[in-house]
Amino acid sequence: MSQALNLSKGKSVLNLRKKSGGVLTRVLVELLWDTDGPRKPYDLDASALTANADLSNPADFGKATSINDVCFYNQPQTTNIKHMKGDNRNGENTAAEGPNAPDEVMEINLAGCVGANTIPVFITINDENNLGQTFDEVTAPRARLVD
């Protein structure tokens, strides 16, 4: 059973303990979006990095612990972060996956992120500058954090 978490501006603490009291050691970041929109197809991508940041400053996203710890479409796997499903370039899923399956999935091994105090996750539209696409055009964009 999954539980929704609504994040709001100004909230800076996200407790990563399970209801059982256990600590999360791994999470999945799932991106989902529909195929409709005025300038389709849309290619959403997730990127993440292990970093160190001044946690008292909400504008500080941190500095990567190493260039090798940045996971994105051109470097889909690092020591502790990896893309699990490949690059979905249009928001479509196979019939076997079903319409509510995530379009892209990134796994983060929290237990292995030694030396990092933050893991920023970024969601971008690939080639948005050349295609003129923006997030407000994407139909039903969603991101889930799943244990």
Side-chain angles (χ1 to χ4, degrees):
M1 180 169 130
S2 62
Q3 179 181 12
L5 173 67
N6 293 318
L7 299 177
S8 60
K9 197 172 188 175
K11 273 192 141 180
S12 60
V13 176
L14 178 60
N15 186 339
L16 295 180
R17 290 205 176 269
K18 294 185 175 190
K19 283 185 177 183
S20 66
V23 176
L24 287 177
T25 58
R26 153 193 173 287
V27 294
L28 300 177
V29 176
E30 298 179 340
L31 296 185
L32 304 91
W33 68 97
D34 292 343
T35 58
D36 298 328
R39 288 185 266 219
K40 63 182 180 181
Y42 296 91
D43 178 9
L44 274 58
D45 290 314
S47 303
L49 60 119
T50 56
N52 286 304
D54 174 2
L55 298 179
S56 66
N57 178 359
D60 184 359
F61 290 109
K63 180 179 178 184
T65 52
S66 163
I67 191 65
N68 296 321
D69 293 334
V70 180
C71 184
F72 64 108
Y73 65 90
N74 207 29
Q75 181 170 283
Q77 184 168 347
T78 69
T79 304
N80 295 300
I81 306 170
K82 65 181 174 180
H83 284 271
M84 303 291 292
K85 195 175 172 183
D87 188 13
N88 183 322
R89 296 181 171 241
N90 57 18
E92 291 182 7
N93 287 313
T94 65
E97 292 174 315
N100 295 319
D103 298 306
E104 294 200 12
V105 179
M106 178 184 288
E107 178 184 49
I108 302 174
N109 173 14
L110 298 171
C113 295
V114 177
N117 68 359
T118 189
I119 304 170
V121 175
F122 301 92
I123 302 169
T124 58
I125 301 174
N126 183 40
D127 208 22
E128 79 287 350
N129 289 332
N130 292 326
L131 300 173
Q133 298 171 327
T134 59
F135 281 107
D136 63 319
E137 298 173 356
V138 180
T139 303
R142 292 138 2 247
R144 297 189 293 214
L145 186 65
V146 181
D147 69 349

